[in-house]
Amino acid sequence: QVQVVESGGGLVQPGGSLRLSCAASGGTFLPAAMGWFRQAPGREREFVAVITMSAGITLHGDSVKGRFTVSRVTNNTVYLQMNDLKPEDTAVYFCKATVATEDYWGQGTQVTVSS
C-alpha cells in the first residue's frame, strides 16, 4: 500500500554531482525513516545513508561520508545529494521507507559515473 519512487539518476563524469529524490506515498502513516542503498552488478546491496523524518538525524556509510548528504525535504520526501562522484559509485540506487515498522522499497534509479 506504500509506494516508494526514486528519481534523478543518470550519467555523470567523475568529480561531478547528482541529486536523487525519493517520495513515499499511499500509507496510513508517515514514514518514520527513509534511507538509501545501492547495488552494483555482482555485489551485495550496500548501505548509503538514512534519515529520521521527525528529528532529521542522519547516518552515512563510510564509503560516502564527506561526499553524499541525505536530507529531508517534506514529511514524505528526501534527497540524496551526491558530490565528487567516483566511478566506484556506479550502481542502482534504491530508496527505502520505514512506515509503521514495515520497510518499503523503490525500484531503483541508475547512477553511472564515467568519463
Side-chain angles (χ1 to χ4, degrees):
Q1 66 279 11
V2 175
Q3 185 177 31
V4 179
V5 180
E6 310 98 331
S7 63
L11 175 65
V12 64
Q13 293 183 333
S17 298
L18 282 175
R19 188 181 71 185
L20 306 184
S21 178
C22 178
S25 62
T28 301
F29 304 104
L30 294 170
M34 297 180 69
W36 294 93
F37 295 75
R38 66 187 183 184
Q39 188 168 23
R43 294 184 178 272
E44 298 293 325
R45 188 166 296 188
E46 176 188 20
F47 169 76
V48 175
V50 66
I51 186 169
T52 66
M53 301 303 285
S54 57
I57 300 170
T58 63
L59 180 68
H60 297 81
D62 290 341
S63 63
V64 305
K65 284 181 178 177
R67 299 187 299 119
F68 291 11
T69 304
V70 63
S71 61
R72 179 183 57 201
V73 182
T74 69
N75 57 14
N76 68 338
T77 305
V78 298
Y79 288 158
L80 181 67
Q81 180 65 47
M82 304 185 294
N83 298 325
D84 191 25
L85 283 161
K86 303 175 180 179
E88 51 263 44
D89 295 318
T90 296
V92 177
Y93 283 70
F94 297 91
C95 180
K96 182 182 76 173
T98 300
V99 182
T101 75
E102 298 291 331
D103 290 336
Y104 300 88
W105 291 87
Q107 293 185 338
T109 185
Q110 176 71 47
V111 173
T112 302
V113 184
S114 176
S115 298

